[in-house]
Amino acid sequence: SKPKKIYGEDQDGPIPKVIANPPAIKGSTIVLPYWRQNPRGTAQCKTKGQDYAGVLISTDGGSSWVPHGKIVHHGVKPDVDRLIEGAVAFLPPNRTHGSSDELLQIFRTTRDIT
């Protein structure tokens, strides 16, 4: 199929969205981790918005997508510390429940702390 934009830079404030890891897929549910990042350094972009991480979720096999979550890293240096490169996986069923829709999401920070 042809590539299509599922979450544009102009949605939820003009700020770039970044994807670095594959989605978690269970049936027709797809969970794709992303993070929002204002340009750093000398970039001349007309963006504004808060840096945070979240996921895009599709429950119809990728036909439609909805952003979820606003996870913010409150680091020692707010202008430096942020969450990047989120990864997500469905957890296996546990002994109490026959099936699981629980997810595990982990991140790397800009100072290599997980």
Side-chain angles (χ1 to χ4, degrees), residues 42-62:
T42 60
Q44 298 295 318
C45 298
K46 294 181 179 179
T47 63
K48 63 178 182 176
Q50 182 181 23
D51 290 354
Y52 62 76
V55 294
L56 298 173
I57 299 178
S58 173
T59 57
D60 57 11

Side-chain angles (χ1 to χ4, degrees), residues 49-109:
Q50 182 181 23
D51 290 354
Y52 62 76
V55 294
L56 298 173
I57 299 178
S58 173
T59 57
D60 57 11
S63 294
S64 62
W65 295 85
V66 177
H68 289 273
K70 291 185 178 181
I71 304 167
V72 178
H73 176 53
H74 297 287
V76 176
K77 297 180 179 180
D79 58 331
V80 174
D81 295 335
R82 59 191 187 279
L83 297 174
I84 59 173
E85 298 178 11
V88 65
F90 281 99
L91 295 176
N94 60 38
R95 293 183 204 166
T96 309
H97 302 93
S99 65
S100 175
D101 290 329
E102 295 178 324
L103 292 166
L104 171 67
Q105 186 169 16
I106 59 173
F107 302 92
R108 184 173 79 81
T109 69

Side-chain angles (χ1 to χ4, degrees), residues 10-29:
D10 56 333
Q11 289 176 262
D12 296 325
I15 184 171
K17 282 75 170 183
V18 186
I19 296 170
N21 285 307
I25 302 171
K26 184 176 182 182
S28 62
T29 300

